Amino acid sequence: MTDLDFGRRVHRIGPRSRPFLLVDARSARICAGLWIAIVLLAVFAVFSGSAQITPVEALTALVGQGDAFTSMVVLEWRAPRILMAVLLGACLAMSGAIFQNLTGNPLGSPDVIGFQTGSYTGAIVVMLLLGGGSVETMAGALAGGVATAFLVFLLSSKRGAVRGVRLIIVGIAVSAMLASVNVWILLTATVEDAIMASLWGAGNLSGVSWATFLGAFGGSAVFLIAALALSRPMRLMQIGMPFATALGQNVRAVQVAAIVIGVGLTALATATVGPISFIALAAPQIARRVVRSDGLALGPTAAVGALLLLLADVVAQRIHPDSPLPVGIVTVSIGGLYFLWLLLREGKKR
């Protein structure tokens, strides 16, 4: 990169380069297309399933004029589950984009480097050992994720700097140790509690109610708004820490805020429905390839994550309608293949 090219790039993404709400036309078109696909898939999920409901009956129930059975299935069972999948898919995807930006590595997602496992550890400690409720479980998941994140960053830092590959290796090691702790906690719990925690630990959207969705929506709104506000400083950091500092950026504060926000998004999803893998890993990469951008691309990333999780949940419910699978099993199965491909791809680059 020549000095002139670098200067143009600094001017393009610098603090005074463009208004905060200015959106690239290609990104806007892609986001619109993705959200149309999400709406169509949501409509399909409303009237399909083990309880067959016609589109007319579903629409009648949505406007409050359906019979008792149809209204219960559409409004109380399916609608909050669909909205929860869209919300948490966006949260996980944006969390993955933040950490991949911080580490400069496509493998740097919270489910790979252990933050999601730490959130799960914090949640089951509160759930099984302390006997806490849903609010306490969410707080425990957030505390576990933040503590794991700072532990991984501390162990992977060298001379005040963190390298992406070192961070991923340390994160995988910490995740493996926390996974063994999780198994030990489950083994020491009662059979009923262990079964409940195991089902929850598979990542399950069944049983989501309006109260659960509204609680998750209220908690995630804070982190989502903070992530959008942090997108410009993080784009500025992509050109390099010394240059971002020279342009007046408080790099350390941005990094700490990004860790808290990214872990908060993951912990909220984990505390609500259990750990769900693959979305945070794949959605940012898919969005970048579709938009053809090397930046955060938070808008398309959130839309891709919402679409992926909703699609995975639809598939999970319809593989075996009499005994639906937890959505986490579907995402892990697909994510394992994607993770293997990504590792081979990164290996060839090196």
Side-chain angles (χ1 to χ4, degrees), residues 51-222:
Q52 293 295 329
I53 296 175
T54 66
V56 175
E57 291 174 338
L59 181 61
T60 303
L62 288 174
V63 297
Q65 298 179 357
D67 59 78
F69 174 75
T70 304
S71 298
M72 179 181 65
V73 172
V74 173
L75 297 178
E76 301 299 327
W77 294 354
R78 293 180 179 174
R81 178 170 184 157
I82 291 169
L83 292 176
M84 183 68 82
V86 172
L87 174 65
L88 297 187
C91 289
L92 290 170
M94 292 181 74
S95 176
I98 289 173
F99 282 114
Q100 289 177 15
N101 181 272
L102 279 176
T103 60
N105 195 302
L107 298 177
S109 67
D111 46 354
V112 174
I113 53 182
F115 304 159
Q116 194 172 64
T117 307
S119 297
Y120 182 37
T121 303
I124 64 173
V125 165
V126 173
M127 185 187 304
L128 299 181
L129 300 184
L130 303 180
S134 58
V135 177
E136 292 81 4
T137 300
M138 186 173 296
L142 178 60
V146 171
T148 303
F150 281 101
L151 176 63
V152 170
F153 272 86
L154 178 64
L155 294 177
S156 59
S157 62
K158 186 177 181 180
R159 297 176 182 176
V162 177
R163 294 185 177 180
V165 176
R166 182 183 178 92
L167 178 71
I168 292 169
I169 294 174
V170 172
I172 292 174
V174 172
S175 178
M177 290 187 289
L178 289 176
S180 64
V181 172
N182 296 342
V183 172
W184 175 78
I185 294 174
L186 291 174
L187 291 176
T188 57
T190 63
V191 175
E192 293 80 5
D193 290 343
I195 292 175
M196 178 193 67
S198 297
L199 290 174
W200 178 81
N204 204 333
L205 286 167
S206 62
V208 172
S209 63
W210 283 111
T212 307
F213 168 73
L214 291 176
F217 180 80
S220 63
V222 177

Side-chain angles (χ1 to χ4, degrees), residues 14 19 25 39 41 111 113 141 143 150 212 215 219-220 224 239 258-259 287 310 316 319 340:
V39 171
L41 183 59
D111 46 354
I113 53 182
F150 281 101
T212 307
S220 63
L224 290 174
I239 53 177
I259 293 172
L310 180 58
I319 289 179
L340 180 61

Side-chain angles (χ1 to χ4, degrees), residues 266-349:
T266 299
L268 186 139
T270 303
T272 305
V273 297
I276 297 177
S277 302
F278 169 65
I279 305 298
L281 174 68
Q285 298 301 313
I286 295 174
R288 287 178 185 175
R289 284 173 172 78
V290 171
V291 179
R292 298 174 187 173
S293 169
D294 59 351
L296 281 173
L298 288 181
T301 297
V304 170
L307 180 61
L308 287 177
L309 187 54
L310 180 58
L311 179 61
D313 189 49
V314 170
V315 172
Q317 293 181 73
R318 287 154 184 80
I319 289 179
H320 197 284
D322 295 332
S323 181
L325 295 174
V327 66
I329 294 179
V330 177
T331 59
V332 166
S333 301
I334 301 173
L337 297 175
Y338 179 84
F339 185 58
L340 180 61
W341 173 82
L342 197 59
L343 282 173
L344 294 175
R345 180 173 173 271
E346 289 298 305
K348 289 180 180 179
K349 283 185 178 181

